[in-house]
Amino acid sequence: MAASPDDSPRPRVGLIYDERMCRHTTPDGEAHPECPERIRAIWKKLQSEGIPQRCVVLNAKKVEDKYLASVHTRNHIEFIKNISSKEFDSRRQRIASKLDSIYLNVGSSEAAYLAAGSVIEASEKVAKGDLNSVIAIVRPPGHHAESNEAMGFCLFNNVAVAANYLLNEKPELGIKKILIVDWDVHHGNGTQKMFYKDPRVLFFSVHRFDFGCFYPSGDDGAYCMIGEGPGAGYNINIPWEHDQCSDADYIAVWDHVLIPIAKEYNPDIILVSAGFDAAIDDPLGGCCVTPHGYSLLLQKLMQFAQGKIVMVLEGGYNLKSMSNSVLACAKVLLQEESVGSIHTATFKSAWRVIEAVRHELKGYWPVLDVELPLNSLITNSRPCPPEVIYSSSESDVENDEGATHTINFSEFAEHDVLLPLSKLKIDEDNHGKVIASDQVQEEESLSASEASHEAELVTSNEIVDGYITWRSLLSKVEVWYASYGSNMWMPRFLCYIEGGKVEGMSAPCCGSQDKSSPKDVIWKIVPHRLLFGRSHSRTWGAGGVAFLDPERSTSDRAYLCMYRITLEQFNDVLLQENSLHQENGMIKQMASPVLDLHILEYVAKNKSLPLKTLKDGWYSTVLYLETEDDLPILTMTCSASDVERFKSGELPASAPTKDYMKTLVNGLVEGKQLTMEEAVAYVNDAATRKL
Ligand code: X5A
Ligand code: ZN
């Protein structure tokens, strides 16, 4: 710790805190992570260290409606204003339950007005130069709030309101360019939308994304969302692929993305959407940024905008961890602490994200148009963390050993990751609802954002663990699973859904978590080569396992029996087909899906995608055949390189045994596709034709 040298004046740092912002609480006193204690704990911590005495303590102020109106609709403003009034007493809870992760009570309106007004007050003081910087300890948070939507614990978008105030209401203060740094663990979807076409605001958000499965799920936080029109290049997303990100990952992003761009942009002021839910031990974030890490991030920002920084609280749900982090930041702003180096290693996945972001943005920010020495950077980096595997009590194979093996689902083939992630289709007319692939979904199935809303309701008040979320989400998305081998026989396929085994199988299936039957079954013929190999399998004992050549060929015809199932079920089938669903006899539950909406988008684009997470399984390649009823037809087969190895004889190509043949024939006959004789001839032809 070093005191600031005697010849340089102490920086003037403002603090805003007001007890009235604690009156926004859950109506019945149920526990909720976004609780009044959050700001009380921070304030107490700062007091215990004598920080307020070394700062300028400002009064909170309610925002005027006219300032809200630049980012929120009239409708939304009236709603937040009136929600706490007496006449809403009976309706308030019902209204809140219709919103995404929002509670409301008699204190909500005042708290929301104070939070937004305080950030305006703070920003004006800093813009004027009365103060060097301010920490606004406010709640409810703001960055999820959209122009006409309260969500994610946020009512008004405090930071966006203040940014607009400076730009539109106070031009005389000379603030023409604002950098918003959003380091809350969640994507700042609201702020992004408000300035998406506006180059006067450079919005930068680093957040957990988990390929679209982390709150607020969907595609908005993807790195391809770079802004539009005159705002193109002025929206920057850093989407982490998984949990456990630490100081080193954040510093790497600062050093290789944010800082070079900030130098070029040269902002007049910096507003930090400072959530502390990426902090170590936060119950929602699952990351591990330390107070030291936060102070370093903040210190690196102080070289810009003559140190004009407004730090605004967003999320953060571990009282101790966030209080320590805010304290560390206060000391940095007061220049009482100079910050040293960090001690963790950067994730390999973080380098991958950084590289992808730099690639995406280098046309707008030439300083990024240099290759990073990625090979040497990655050499010293951490592998992705293992997924948490949940063991199921419904295991059909008893074993008392814990499930220890883990599959890293986020690490599919390297070359795929380095390609820019393609965009999920956004339906503009429907307020940006995400539609899986290029398909229009069935009317009764929900859009991904509706589905994620539902998932959110399921988990409200709970620690979001990602597990319920992805299953709820993908249970709303339907696909055709196309079978061409033994699964053409419906009773055999149903084992993958319902569990158990049928005649001829030597080992039972565990089934899908969602045991509901396929919604529909239809048949189709496709121009792919059916082949047989791997004479012995866990399921059949001696068999002759069916595969499709991923390549299309006009001379080939394969029968497909297609089941309309959910994408959740497809994931469970994918795992069982690859014998990756159990370890030491324990059924494993996936912490994240092998095939999520984002990867589905890849598959749709490339038609065939080897999944690195399944690389040890025989069915590691997913094929996107075509569509039926506007739903994608998916199947799984061996890799293209396995086809080559079958051809060369390196892997045994092996005709079906009698029992296996019987299952295939049963499928084709009971499915009314072929007579018994025709079915036998079809299988024999495929088995004997030269590869
Ligand atoms: C501000 C903030 C998080 C919302 C999570 C909803 N919101 N599950 O951190
Ligand atoms: Zn957050």
Side-chain angles (χ1 to χ4, degrees):
M1 199 185 291
S4 66
D6 290 335
D7 53 345
S8 71
R10 257 182 193 290
R12 291 167 58 83
V13 179
L15 287 181
I16 296 196
Y17 171 78
D18 190 310
E19 184 67 23
R20 287 175 290 170
M21 286 185 278
C22 296
R23 296 197 200 136
H24 166 61
T25 64
T26 54
D28 300 327
E30 322 89 281
H32 193 284
E34 206 291 277
C35 61
E37 288 310 318
R38 297 174 58 239
I39 57 174
R40 282 205 190 103
I42 293 171
W43 189 242
K44 256 180 77 182
K45 183 82 200 179
L46 296 184
Q47 281 181 323
S48 76
E49 297 266 334
I51 299 288
Q53 292 90 310
R54 310 205 285 280
C55 293
V56 179
V57 178
L58 304 171
N59 288 323
K61 255 170 80 174
K62 287 191 197 167
V63 64
E64 290 178 45
D65 284 357
K66 61 177 178 196
Y67 301 141
L68 291 169
S70 64
V71 300
H72 290 294
T73 62
R74 194 39 49 209
N75 211 8
H76 184 70
I77 298 168
E78 291 300 314
F79 168 59
I80 300 299
K81 178 192 295 183
N82 295 327
I83 196 69
S84 293
S85 66
K86 197 122 197 78
E87 69 212 80
F88 274 87
D89 275 354
S90 57
R91 284 149 64 203
R92 206 177 290 130
Q93 295 212 47
R94 199 160 32 82
I95 294 170
S97 74
K98 295 227 183 331
L99 298 169
D100 173 359
S101 307
I102 288 292
Y103 63 77
L104 298 163
N105 76 333
V106 286
S108 301
S109 303
E110 187 180 38
Y113 271 81
L114 284 167
S118 298
V119 179
I120 288 187
E121 178 72 2
S123 305
E124 182 160 16
K125 288 256 156 47
V126 172
K128 272 190 182 146
D130 292 352
L131 296 171
N132 296 84
S133 54
V134 175
I135 301 181
I137 307 159
V138 297
R139 64 180 290 275
H143 73 151
H144 294 306
E146 300 191 351
S147 108
N148 194 33
E149 184 103 351
M151 62 180 276
F153 317 157
C154 302
L155 301 180
F156 290 138
N157 194 318
N158 309 318
V159 164
V161 168
N164 253 312
Y165 175 83
L166 294 178
L167 293 170
N168 302 334
E169 306 289 336
K170 297 282 154 157
E172 65 272 21
L173 297 178
I175 303 294
K176 297 202 172 71
K177 287 179 289 175
I178 300 180
L179 169 61
I180 297 179
V181 175
D182 187 332
W183 73 40
D184 185 283
V185 78
H186 302 97
H187 177 235
N189 57 291
T191 318
Q192 165 168 304
K193 284 201 181 135
M194 286 159 183
F195 302 109
Y196 206 59
K197 297 179 179 171
D198 193 341
R200 299 173 306 167
V201 174
L202 173 55
F203 178 65
F204 171 94
S205 179
V206 52
H207 45 268
R208 262 186 81 179
F209 185 61
D210 298 28
F211 300 100
C213 291
F214 200 74
Y215 189 88
S217 17
D219 203 33
D220 286 352
Y223 60 69
C224 48
M225 303 297 283
I226 59 165
E228 231 173 70
Y234 295 90
N235 193 86
I236 301 170
N237 283 323
I238 311 290
W240 296 139
E241 293 177 1
H242 51 71
D243 58 351
Q244 295 179 38
C245 295
S246 73
D247 296 351
D249 302 297
Y250 282 79
I251 294 300
V253 165
W254 254 235
D255 289 349
H256 299 286
V257 181
L258 179 57
I259 300 301
I261 290 179
K263 277 190 182 136
E264 195 115 353
Y265 186 63
N266 190 23
D268 300 314
I269 192 170
I270 301 178
L271 308 183
V272 185
S273 260
F276 291 93
D277 40 12
I280 188 161
D281 293 332
D282 186 277
L284 266 61
C287 295
C288 42
V289 179
T290 66
H292 184 73
Y294 282 114
S295 35
L296 200 48
L297 298 182
L298 189 59
Q299 190 175 67
K300 282 174 186 269
L301 296 179
M302 287 173 71
Q303 60 183 297
F304 304 106
Q306 306 156 280
K308 290 183 198 293
I309 294 184
V310 183
M311 207 180 99
V312 181
L313 186 65
E314 298 280 359
Y317 308 100
N318 179 309
L319 305 186
K320 247 181 140 166
S321 182
M322 71 187 299
S323 304
N324 287 330
S325 301
V326 175
L327 172 64
C329 288
K331 290 182 178 173
V332 166
L333 293 178
L334 284 163
Q335 293 184 9
E336 294 176 351
E337 194 142 299
S338 76
V339 193
S341 55
I342 43 122
H343 305 288
T344 56
T346 309
F347 276 121
K348 192 172 159 187
S349 63
W351 288 122
R352 207 153 57 202
V353 172
I354 288 169
E355 180 64 7
V357 172
R358 288 172 58 99
H359 180 80
E360 189 80 21
L361 286 164
K362 67 184 182 205
Y364 303 91
W365 304 98
V367 45
L368 303 183
D369 199 2
V370 210
E371 296 277 320
L372 289 178
L374 223 46
N375 283 340
S376 56
L377 290 171
I378 284 177
T379 315
N380 302 314
S381 64
R382 299 162 82 188
C384 293
E387 297 286 344
V388 178
I389 304 297
Y390 298 78
S391 61
S392 157
S393 51
E394 291 165 7
S395 165
D396 58 359
V397 188
E398 68 295 324
N399 192 306
D400 47 15
E401 277 163 54
T404 50
H405 180 79
T406 55
I407 306 168
N408 187 353
F409 293 109
S410 43
E411 208 177 326
F412 40 100
E414 205 80 20
H415 68 274
D416 301 317
V417 175
L418 291 175
L419 288 172
L421 290 172
S422 57
K423 293 171 189 172
L424 285 176
K425 235 191 183 162
I426 306 289
D427 180 355
E428 299 283 10
D429 300 335
N430 263 312
H431 300 281
K433 285 176 183 160
V434 178
I435 298 183
S437 75
D438 50 350
Q439 313 311 321
V440 178
Q441 292 189 5
E442 296 242 312
E443 267 168 44
E444 70 264 25
S445 64
L446 283 87
S447 76
S449 68
E450 283 168 332
S452 69
H453 184 176
E454 286 230 329
E456 215 32 56
L457 291 179
V458 172
T459 58
S460 71
N461 280 351
E462 291 177 15
I463 294 170
V464 178
D465 57 20
Y467 166 63
I468 295 169
T469 306
W470 83 256
R471 284 198 174 267
S472 306
L473 182 66
L474 299 192
S475 72
K476 306 294 192 293
V477 180
E478 290 185 339
V479 298
W480 291 103
Y481 160 61
S483 65
Y484 49 81
S486 61
N487 286 339
M488 290 188 296
W489 189 38
M490 174 110 77
R492 189 271 173 276
F493 172 65
L494 288 179
C495 296
Y496 279 146
I497 300 294
E498 297 167 3
K501 59 179 185 175
V502 288
E503 195 197 334
M505 286 166 68
S506 56
C509 298
C510 63
S512 177
Q513 189 143 313
D514 173 1
K515 302 205 164 16
S516 49
S517 304
K519 312 279 178 298
D520 208 345
V521 184
I522 53 173
W523 288 79
K524 214 183 184 75
I525 295 172
V526 290
H528 285 265
R529 169 81 155 87
L530 178 67
L531 57 132
F532 295 94
R534 310 266 195 179
S535 64
H536 202 93
S537 72
R538 189 188 94 92
T539 308
W540 298 102
V545 181
F547 297 104
L548 274 193
D549 188 339
E551 294 284 312
R552 291 167 67 101
S553 133
T554 43
S555 59
D556 289 318
R557 284 156 56 86
Y559 280 87
L560 297 182
C561 178
M562 311 200 309
Y563 302 96
R564 189 147 65 88
I565 59 174
T566 71
L567 192 49
E568 180 199 5
Q569 291 176 317
F570 185 79
N571 272 281
D572 287 331
V573 174
L574 196 53
L575 238 68
Q576 293 176 77
E577 277 286 17
N578 283 291
S579 298
L580 294 171
H581 57 290
Q582 65 177 64
E583 178 76 10
N584 302 327
M586 295 278 286
I587 304 299
K588 290 190 303 193
Q589 302 286 355
M590 287 176 281
S592 51
V594 176
L595 192 71
D596 64 13
L597 291 175
H598 227 118
I599 304 174
L600 176 59
E601 183 71 8
Y602 265 111
V603 181
K605 225 183 184 168
N606 302 340
K607 304 308 172 208
S608 141
L609 186 70
L611 294 167
K612 200 173 173 189
T613 54
L614 301 175
K615 66 178 189 317
D616 298 328
W618 291 351
Y619 290 91
S620 62
T621 295
V622 173
L623 294 187
Y624 180 102
L625 292 165
E626 46 192 81
T627 63
E628 183 69 33
D629 285 338
D630 287 326
L631 295 177
I633 303 173
L634 301 176
T635 191
M636 55 197 83
T637 188
C638 59
S639 64
S641 65
D642 276 359
V643 174
E644 289 311 308
R645 290 160 76 204
F646 284 129
K647 278 186 188 165
S648 72
E650 189 189 334
L651 284 175
S654 145
T657 57
K658 228 172 85 207
D659 277 349
Y660 191 72
M661 170 72 104
K662 204 171 138 193
T663 319
L664 299 177
V665 171
N666 276 347
L668 288 158
V669 173
E670 287 180 27
K672 299 196 176 19
Q673 296 306 295
L674 297 172
T675 65
M676 176 106 67
E677 291 72 18
E678 288 167 340
V680 171
Y682 166 72
V683 176
N684 276 334
D685 175 61
T688 53
R689 209 140 33 97
K690 223 181 132 23
L691 274 177

